[in-house]
Amino acid sequence: MRGTIALIGFGEAASTFARCGNWSDGAAAFDIAPDRRAAMEELGVAVGDSVEQALDGASLVLSLVTADQALPVARHCAGLIAKDALFCDMNSVAPGTKREAAQAFEAAGARYVDVAIMAPVSPAHLTVPLNLSGPHAAEAEESLRAAGFARTSVVGDDIGRASAIKLVRSVMVKGLEALTAEMMLAAHAEGVADAVLASLDASEKPSPWAIRADYNLDRMLVHGRRRAAEMAEAAQMLRDLGIDPLMTQNTVARQQALGGLGLTPPPEGLEAKLVAITKTSKGEH
């Protein structure tokens, strides 16, 4: 079996890329789920009966498996891919996991690239933003663009950097989603949803995130303990409504932790605050 692109894992993302890239004449795929064979056949992608078959002849490998399988799959592929091939690990896993995977490729003399998919694959398809990092990121960017990906960015030479940008950002993005659910469930239960949303609209003051982050840290350092007490009451309200305060209870802990540092916010700005918080939290002076 020969192919220029190998897809390891053929779920929604891989099948979408194959369809939109019209890769039918130059791609092979393998998925552990037998029912994915039909999707491969429908798109004209060569069906691999094993990872080895899918990798045979591939110059570009895209790993798009479940997060728990990302590291085992990478380790398995490290000794199988051609030495001049590029293994693009596009799975949403921790930077440390990507670094572990990269070690297997380094030991095998093969090339590994950390790729982070920075937005939902649908409806963006091949215009979904991709961040790439690692020693071979620039070459991988050329190959990915040749395959049809239109929005790629090399963000550094270190494996894990692309994934760190994605997952740290997800702390905010996915956290806001979870907070929204907790807020709206409570607002609905109390019959105050419209008023709460109107109040949020009225208080919204758009500003760059660097300014917002600096301001938020200031407030927590100065008023964290008082805010923790307020949020403890909010958590109790949620319990009274039969809503588990999963996010709110941990907000109590974070506010209390920063407020309890007894740290006067340094006037130099965001970076100085982060350094001071980190050192004080570790007991450094």
Side-chain angles (χ1 to χ4, degrees):
M1 177 179 296
R2 307 296 293 178
T4 59
I5 300 174
L7 296 151
I8 308 303
F10 205 73
E12 178 187 359
S15 59
T16 297
F17 294 154
R19 179 184 304 106
C20 296
N22 193 26
W23 295 342
S24 58
D25 292 334
F30 172 77
D31 195 294
I32 195 170
D35 61 357
R36 297 309 298 165
R37 294 176 67 96
M40 298 175 201
E41 292 168 353
E42 178 186 348
L43 294 172
V45 173
V47 179
D49 292 323
S50 64
V51 172
E52 289 83 352
Q53 273 195 340
L55 293 176
D56 184 25
S59 59
L60 179 65
V61 182
L62 308 183
S63 177
L64 291 155
V65 297
T66 56
D68 62 317
Q69 291 301 307
L71 183 56
V73 165
R75 286 172 169 163
H76 184 60
C77 290
L80 299 175
I81 69 170
K83 293 297 184 283
D84 60 347
L86 290 157
F87 184 91
C88 292
D89 193 335
M90 306 178 86
N91 301 296
S92 295
V93 295
T97 303
K98 293 281 182 89
R99 295 182 192 114
E100 284 189 62
Q103 290 173 2
F105 282 80
E106 184 177 355
R111 302 192 296 173
Y112 177 96
V113 185
D114 175 13
V115 181
I117 301 173
M118 299 301 293
V121 169
S122 294
H125 303 157
L126 293 181
T127 64
V128 67
L130 302 179
N131 279 356
L132 292 74
S133 68
H136 308 292
E139 293 171 82
E141 182 178 36
E142 291 183 13
S143 295
L144 288 168
R145 284 192 171 270
F149 290 96
R151 296 179 63 189
T152 59
S153 299
V154 175
V155 296
D157 295 331
D158 297 329
I159 297 293
R161 182 173 176 82
S163 290
I165 293 170
K166 173 173 182 169
L167 289 188
V168 173
R169 179 179 180 274
S170 290
V171 170
M172 176 59 71
V173 175
K174 306 309 190 292
L176 279 175
E177 292 174 358
L179 276 171
T180 300
E182 204 157 289
M183 174 189 74
M184 290 308 301
L185 287 168
H188 174 73
E190 285 285 10
V192 295
D194 290 344
V196 167
L197 293 172
S199 177
L200 287 171
D201 284 338
S203 62
E204 185 71 14
K205 298 176 182 178
S207 59
W209 264 106
I211 294 174
R212 295 169 71 176
D214 189 36
Y215 175 82
N216 288 346
L217 287 174
D218 254 359
R219 298 303 87 202
M220 293 174 75
L221 289 171
V222 175
H223 303 295
R225 285 177 290 185
R226 176 174 60 81
R227 293 185 172 196
E230 176 185 338
M231 294 310 296
E233 291 301 312
Q236 185 57 52
M237 174 195 68
L238 291 169
R239 293 189 191 94
D240 291 343
L241 294 170
I243 299 167
D244 193 353
L246 297 173
M247 300 296 293
T248 304
Q249 191 58 52
N250 283 292
T251 296
V252 174
R254 181 62 70 190
Q255 290 278 358
Q256 183 65 43
L258 286 187
L261 292 176
L263 182 65
T264 300
E268 295 86 353
L270 179 58
E271 181 66 22
K273 286 186 182 68
L274 292 169
V275 170
I277 290 169
T278 301
K279 287 185 176 180
T280 306
S281 298
K282 293 180 178 178
E284 301 175 7
H285 301 284

